[in-house]
Amino acid sequence: MPKIYEYLGIIFFLYHNDHEPIHAHAISGEYETIFEFHFENGQLKEIKIRKKRGKEHLPKAKMEQAKAFVEQFAIQIAEKWYRFYILKEPLICEKINKKI
């Protein structure tokens, strides 16, 4: 389960054997939310939020922080997803401590 970002106590990661659409998981404590990235003609069209089966969504304050982060870093997250699943490259977790 490679971590791709840590942001204000929220960990964004990928599962080793995951699937399309491009997405990242965000956890904080026992909570987990999935952010899906939908592209059309190479352009980001939509970010969908969905619940991880068996888990509760991130609490409201953490969800707001996670959404702001994902909106700002959507392209970088998608690039990391591509590099990990398609190119089979190792990933380095980036820690971001300043609020967006």
Side-chain angles (χ1 to χ4, degrees), residues 7-50:
Y7 174 66
L8 303 178
I10 304 165
I11 297 171
F12 294 87
F13 67 96
L14 307 173
Y15 280 110
H16 283 287
N17 297 321
D18 225 334
H19 53 80
E20 290 190 68
I22 295 171
H23 65 282
H25 298 255
I27 59 171
S28 180
E30 69 271 15
Y31 303 98
E32 183 171 345
T33 298
I34 300 168
F35 293 90
E36 290 183 357
F37 305 91
H38 295 271
F39 290 84
E40 188 175 297
N41 298 322
Q43 298 292 318
L44 180 64
K45 290 296 179 188
E46 181 179 21
I47 300 171
K48 290 184 180 178
I49 298 172
R50 64 182 171 93

Side-chain angles (χ1 to χ4, degrees), residues 66-99:
K67 283 164 101 174
F69 181 84
V70 165
E71 288 170 0
Q72 178 102 14
F73 284 84
I75 299 303
Q76 293 92 328
I77 293 169
E79 287 172 354
K80 286 182 182 243
W81 189 96
Y82 179 81
R83 288 193 349 251
F84 183 72
Y85 289 112
I86 306 303
L87 301 178
K88 308 295 186 201
E89 295 178 357
L91 299 177
I92 296 172
C93 178
E94 296 179 51
K95 292 183 181 183
I96 299 170
N97 297 317
K98 290 187 178 184
K99 191 173 181 179

